[in-house]
Amino acid sequence: MTIEGPGQWWSRRRSRIRAQWPTRLPGIRFCARGTLTYRAHAPTKTGGTASARAAARLALDELGRSIAQRHMPEQLTTAQERLTLAAAHWHTAENTPGLWLKARITLMLTEQDADRAQRYQDSIREVTLQLAQEHERRERFRQAVFATPDDTRVWWLDRHLDDLDSLDWEVFKKKILPMVGAADDIQSKAERIAHTLLYVWEKLGDSPGQHARFTTTVRTVLDQMGWNDALAWLAPGEPSAADSPESVRGDGGEPRPTAEGGTVR
């Protein structure tokens, strides 16, 4: 950095600039045209006029590239304004002490690059439109088919009307129904509860004592909740805890023999 400034006007040099700087879109470049004004102090000046001009051109090229490559071709005006703000006033080159420069540069696109940029924008617009249409199609399909479990069941049935033998409700319940936003309908809940109870019942095995303890536990819970009308699902012939070789202790401990003082039947 130097504090001498650009110096008097007669000590300044000017050079015409013609360059090409890359845009953010590969293969398309901004064409730069304009005038570079510079002034070199020692030690840059000791290298001669050619050396000072080369240093000034390299400094401007670095500045122009750093701005141009951050912009798409359609951002030509924005890139132009930022380049003007950065280069139109006297400033020093960061890596070249003693060199002052400013430039008046106009950016433009060749006709060929403008056509390429437009084709790129058209292709992006087409892809964006296709994605938007596909998103809209899926959203409308979801609203029409997966809004409620009943809607989904009707859709699944409609798909198999021509071949009812291929209608597989197990596949529907496992693969399709979980995708429904309101899958917790009464039928789905009832099915899950039924599967849970069936799982528990199968885990009980063939042990009369296990069945008796489970039945007694269910009866106790229903009775405490005041839901005695639900006891009908327990068949009258189900074994009770008293009929079992073991009964459940009231304190929640291990099962104990029913007949404590005699022979266990």
Side-chain angles (χ1 to χ4, degrees):
M1 297 292 292
T2 178
I3 60 174
E4 297 180 8
Q8 300 298 326
W9 64 268
W10 58 80
S11 62
R12 302 167 189 171
R13 298 289 184 267
R14 287 180 177 81
S15 177
R16 299 291 297 176
I17 295 297
R18 298 174 64 89
Q20 291 183 333
W21 295 327
T23 66
R24 269 181 54 192
L25 191 59
I28 298 181
R29 298 161 293 182
F30 289 130
C31 293
R33 303 288 187 272
T35 302
L36 168 66
T37 305
Y38 60 95
R39 163 78 189 282
H41 297 279
T44 305
K45 190 176 180 179
T46 58
T49 302
S51 178
R53 182 173 62 252
R57 283 176 171 270
L58 288 175
L60 178 62
D61 186 73
E62 182 177 355
L63 176 64
R65 286 176 177 274
S66 67
I67 294 174
Q69 66 189 4
R70 298 199 302 266
H71 296 81
M72 296 293 289
E74 65 270 17
Q75 296 176 303
L76 173 63
T77 300
T78 302
Q80 177 69 72
E81 298 298 339
R82 288 182 175 171
L83 180 61
T84 299
L85 289 174
H89 303 284
W90 285 107
H91 61 282
T92 57
E94 182 178 353
N95 298 321
T96 310
L99 177 65
W100 285 80
L101 68 149
K102 68 176 182 177
R104 299 285 184 179
I105 302 295
T106 299
L107 296 179
M108 63 188 71
L109 285 169
T110 64
E111 183 177 351
Q112 294 82 358
D113 278 346
D115 289 341
R116 296 189 189 103
Q118 185 60 52
R119 289 198 298 270
Y120 173 81
Q121 289 299 320
D122 291 342
S123 63
I124 291 296
R125 188 178 299 106
E126 181 179 356
V127 171
T128 302
L129 178 60
Q130 291 175 352
L131 292 176
Q133 290 174 334
E134 180 63 22
H135 175 76
E136 180 69 16
R137 185 194 66 81
R138 290 196 303 268
E139 184 63 20
R140 289 184 178 274
F141 178 80
R142 184 189 65 80
Q143 293 175 358
V145 176
F146 294 103
T148 67
D150 286 340
D151 291 338
T152 310
R153 291 185 183 98
V154 172
W155 167 78
W156 184 251
L157 178 62
D158 182 69
R159 285 178 58 88
H160 296 83
L161 285 179
D162 295 334
D163 185 12
L164 291 178
D165 292 337
S166 66
L167 186 61
D168 191 338
W169 288 108
E170 287 298 323
V171 173
F172 174 83
K173 288 188 291 185
K174 292 180 180 179
K175 305 294 186 180
I176 305 299
L177 192 58
M179 300 173 60
V180 182
D184 289 335
D185 63 321
I186 295 176
Q187 180 174 337
S188 300
K189 289 180 178 178
E191 290 177 352
R192 287 200 296 271
I193 293 173
H195 282 299
T196 301
L197 292 175
L198 179 62
Y199 169 79
V200 172
W201 196 257
E202 290 176 348
K203 292 290 288 186
L204 294 176
D206 297 328
S207 171
Q210 291 278 59
H211 283 263
R213 285 194 297 273
F214 177 72
T215 304
T216 300
T217 301
V218 173
R219 288 180 182 274
T220 301
V221 172
L222 295 176
D223 182 65
Q224 291 180 355
M225 297 298 293
W227 300 336
N228 292 323
D229 56 336
L231 291 173
W233 73 276
L234 291 172
E238 292 288 348
S240 65
D243 298 328
S244 173
E246 297 179 342
S247 63
V248 180
R249 290 178 54 181
D251 58 1
E254 292 294 327
R256 62 188 178 190
T258 303
E260 295 185 357
T263 303
V264 179
R265 291 186 298 173

